[in-house]
Amino acid sequence: MAVAGVAVVALLIGAFWLGMRRKDKELPPPRPDEQPVPPAHRTHVQQHDVHGSDEFPDDRKGLSPYELGDRGNEKLPPESDRPRD
């Protein structure tokens, strides 16, 4: 058992040593002046959920699964707001 324990410890030390050598060969992280410049305007426009509401019907009676159909999946008309930059 002692020989197996020494072998496991030797393998762990060797793996750690090899990992440190590989890490030393990697490029250093970029400096702040080497970072990419962000764009002047927003490039991603987040779109909100385009489906209808999931509220109860006006008569406040819950629907069973076969009565649901496409309720809640109808498309909403586009908003009248002007698009953002």
Side-chain angles (χ1 to χ4, degrees):
M1 286 303 268
V3 174
V6 170
V8 168
V9 169
L11 283 172
L12 290 173
I13 291 173
F16 181 77
W17 179 73
L18 279 174
M20 292 301 291
R21 285 188 57 198
R22 284 190 178 188
K23 185 169 173 62
D24 289 342
K25 291 180 182 179
E26 290 179 0
L27 293 174
R31 296 187 312 264
D33 59 329
E34 295 174 338
Q35 297 292 328
V37 180
H41 56 83
R42 195 166 59 164
T43 58
H44 173 75
V45 177
Q46 185 173 357
Q47 184 177 10
H48 297 288
D49 190 14
V50 296
H51 297 291
S53 69
D54 55 356
E55 297 176 359
F56 276 105
D58 292 333
D59 61 0
R60 307 303 272 170
K61 175 184 171 272
L63 300 176
S64 60
Y66 62 88
E67 294 175 318
L68 286 175
D70 287 334
R71 185 170 186 82
N73 290 332
E74 63 269 3
K75 295 277 187 179
L76 293 176
E79 293 182 12
S80 61
D81 294 343
R82 64 178 183 85
R84 296 180 181 175
D85 293 335

